Amino acid sequence: MVGGLFKNIRSNLDFWRTNIHINDNVLHSAHEMGVEKVVSCLSTCIFPDKTTYPIDETMIHNGPPHSSNFGYSYAKRMIDIQNRGYSEQHGRRFTAVIPTNVFGPHDNFNIEDGHVLPGLIHKVHLAKQSGSALTVWGTGKPRRQFIYSLDLARLFLWVLREYDEVEPIILSVGEEDEVSIREAAEAVAEAMDFRGELLFDPSKADGQFKKTASNAKLRRYLPGFQFTPFRKAVKETCAWFDANYADARK
Ligand code: GDP
């Protein structure tokens, strides 16, 4: 069960319970059926809030997560514990990937429940229709590393086929590719040729200021992997949303 910052703030208990049930049902059923490898999906938002940067794979359990999404974070951290257990007790290769903020075609573009990029894309679409301004929630100052869903899918297949560790691996663009929420909003405005005003609403939460992750481990395995440039990926996602507005999840 996933959602953007604002859905997490509203439903921490539901995120905890649903994900804990999914974790145990999926992993234990896989074990009972003799499945040898499972790749679960964590997120960089589960890392400790008070930390040093960049964050790496060894730091998952080193302190409380940000209070806005404690339910999701603690539930997802338990996948790492469970993977270790299946490895030590039963020799299974159950592992996990840790992506940064994912976006792309077929995302959930719901403004209240979804993540920031699909939310902004939907808002720009509506602002263009009504001729109004784009309101970006929060101060626009928090920073995020975004990963295009098509890049993540390629990396997922590599993990499934080639990655043999039980320890998780961060799937992220480099630290130098981190952008502010303001820059992300500007990229969406440019991609959708939105000429209206950008307003910021600081009465809405900023969430975690940043969760800058290191992709050094990924780079050791795949030094040549090419990520789609952020602005190109945003353009493709906006074009997909415009072309599929009627059927998109929103
Ligand atoms: P997070 O990365 O786990 O915090 O989740 P999100 O993808 O929901 O990103 C939240 C960040 O984007 C916060 O700093 C919000 O204040 C900011 N933000 C700005 N506008 C929006 C919006 O329309 N939707 C969402 N979800 N976040 C927004």
Side-chain angles (χ1 to χ4, degrees), residues 20 53 61 82 107 126 163 166 169 183-184 201 212 214 217 231 233 244 249:
I20 282 291
Y53 298 99
H61 303 287
Q82 210 157 335
D107 203 343
L126 298 177
Y163 180 75
V166 170
I169 182 165
E183 288 165 326
D201 179 359
T212 319
S214 162
K217 184 174 185 178
R231 289 198 173 238
N244 295 276
R249 273 194 294 162

Side-chain angles (χ1 to χ4, degrees), residues 3-6 8 45 69 101 111-117 119-120 123 135-140 142 144 146 181 204-208 211:
L5 170 64
F6 297 91
N8 272 275
C45 70
N69 61 1
N101 288 48
I111 292 175
E112 297 299 325
D113 289 349
H115 289 96
V116 55
L117 274 177
L120 290 173
K123 284 192 210 172
T135 304
V136 181
W137 291 342
T139 61
R144 298 288 183 267
F146 292 101
I181 298 296
K204 293 272 197 178
D206 265 344
Q208 205 162 359
K211 35 195 175 175

Side-chain angles (χ1 to χ4, degrees), residues 119-129 134 185 188-189 192 194:
L120 290 173
I121 291 169
H122 193 172
K123 284 192 210 172
V124 168
H125 185 96
L126 298 177
K128 279 176 74 174
Q129 274 178 350
L134 165 66
V188 172
M192 298 180 81
F194 172 70

Side-chain angles (χ1 to χ4, degrees), residues 22-40:
I22 294 172
N23 294 352
D24 195 54
N25 284 327
V26 171
L27 294 177
H28 203 68
S29 302
H31 169 62
E32 284 185 340
M33 299 308 292
V35 174
E36 283 172 20
K37 186 161 182 185
V38 176
V39 182
S40 297

Side-chain angles (χ1 to χ4, degrees), residues 210-231:
K210 64 177 186 174
K211 35 195 175 175
T212 319
S214 162
N215 70 356
K217 184 174 185 178
L218 174 66
R219 283 296 181 210
R220 278 199 298 280
Y221 277 102
L222 292 179
F225 185 82
Q226 300 271 340
F227 288 95
T228 309
F230 178 61
R231 289 198 173 238

